[in-house]
Amino acid sequence: MLNRRHAPICSRLAVALTLFVITTTFGCSFMSRPKPLDLNVVEHASQETTSKVIREIQQRSTLSGEGTPTLCFLGVSGDGAESLSTSTRTALEASSAFRLLDKSVVQAALKDSGVRANNVFIPAERKKLVDALGEPIDYLLAGYVESVSQDSDEDDEKSKGAANKLIYRLELVNIETNVKSEFTAEL
């Protein structure tokens, strides 16, 4: 049995051992918080990807000859998602290329259907969401902030330890044809 004067040392050793096990198992990256995204970079990435989405919808609408399509924007997931989602929604609202469903309607349909936003590209889940919306839609749009490894042609030790970069990706799917398009920008 340990006496009281050894207890502080044992406590420190236990904490140190725990931190060592965690960092060797998971790496140090989980312990550091991600840096907030620069608002200028967020705005640029949002404008770049959103303008591509709008052009794509306009081209498809022109080719199909049908009326104004309806777009369901599901928001953005990942680090920095809130500012990207707000910026993207603002740009979408400014377009007359489609009718954008209200954010509260989309959130209520996601809740009522029990569908998670990142599962709407699964046909059965998408059908549940569309049924919960209670009106026909032509396109679903979802955004993601992702970390991707930088490709390098070099095969040295430096390139193996290269840092990842963040990208903003928007996925647009046509409900009728199930054709999916992706638009990306670096963050």
Side-chain angles (χ1 to χ4, degrees), residues 65-77:
E66 295 180 11
T68 305
T70 301
L71 175 67
C72 176
F73 177 53
L74 300 163
V76 179
S77 63

Side-chain angles (χ1 to χ4, degrees), residues 70-74 89 99-113 128-137:
T70 301
L71 175 67
C72 176
F73 177 53
L74 300 163
R89 177 164 279 286
R99 184 176 70 85
L100 181 64
L101 292 181
D102 188 73
K103 181 179 179 179
S104 61
V105 170
V106 175
Q107 289 175 339
L110 285 167
K111 183 178 178 183
D112 292 347
S113 67
K128 284 195 255 181
L129 174 64
V130 171
D131 290 345
L133 285 168
E135 63 179 289
I137 59 170

Side-chain angles (χ1 to χ4, degrees), residues 165-182:
K165 65 179 177 179
L166 286 179
I167 62 163
Y168 177 44
R169 178 172 53 94
L170 283 174
E171 286 186 357
L172 176 71
V173 67
N174 182 311
I175 298 295
E176 185 178 323
T177 64
N178 207 32
V179 172
K180 185 166 77 169
S181 302
E182 292 185 5

Side-chain angles (χ1 to χ4, degrees), residues 120-141:
V120 297
F121 295 104
I122 300 169
E125 296 292 289
R126 183 170 56 232
K127 183 178 178 346
K128 284 195 255 181
L129 174 64
V130 171
D131 290 345
L133 285 168
E135 63 179 289
I137 59 170
D138 300 292
Y139 296 98
L140 282 174
L141 180 66

